[in-house]
Amino acid sequence: MANIKSAKKRILVNRTKADRNKAIKSGVKTAIKKVFAAIEAGDKAAAQTELNAAIKTIEMATSKGVYHKNNAARKVSRITKAVNQMA
């Protein structure tokens, strides 16, 4: 354990930020899973709705600095492509 007050504070702040980032990443993964679940069910309308929600979640995570913009763009591109390829 750190002895210096500022080091103790950094440990607490880093733990708080890590928990926040973990929650945001978990939300993104859940949103992406919902898109693919709708695709598996074959429901184009539901897939489109879930896609819009997932894109919003990914963009919000990117604006908070959890994901790099290219990583976010790749995720959005992949799920959009999957929805567009539905029959």
Side-chain angles (χ1 to χ4, degrees):
M1 183 67 186
N3 292 323
I4 299 169
K5 187 176 182 180
S6 62
K8 290 178 182 177
K9 181 180 178 182
R10 292 306 327 153
I11 290 170
L12 293 174
V13 170
N14 287 338
R15 188 176 301 145
T16 303
K17 287 184 178 181
D19 290 343
R20 174 180 156 271
N21 290 344
K22 189 182 291 185
I24 292 170
K25 283 186 178 184
S26 177
V28 169
K29 289 178 189 175
T30 302
I32 291 172
K33 285 179 186 175
K34 285 181 180 179
V35 173
F36 284 113
I39 291 171
E40 288 294 319
D43 191 353
K44 180 86 169 173
Q48 192 64 43
T49 305
E50 293 297 339
L51 173 66
N52 292 337
I55 290 174
K56 182 178 180 184
T57 306
I58 292 168
E59 295 298 328
M60 284 172 49
T62 306
S63 70
K64 294 178 190 306
V66 178
Y67 287 115
H68 188 273
K69 64 176 186 169
N70 290 357
N71 188 349
R74 186 177 67 244
K75 288 180 184 300
V76 169
S77 175
R78 286 181 178 169
I79 59 175
T80 304
K81 183 179 176 185
V83 171
N84 288 341
Q85 286 181 343
M86 286 182 69

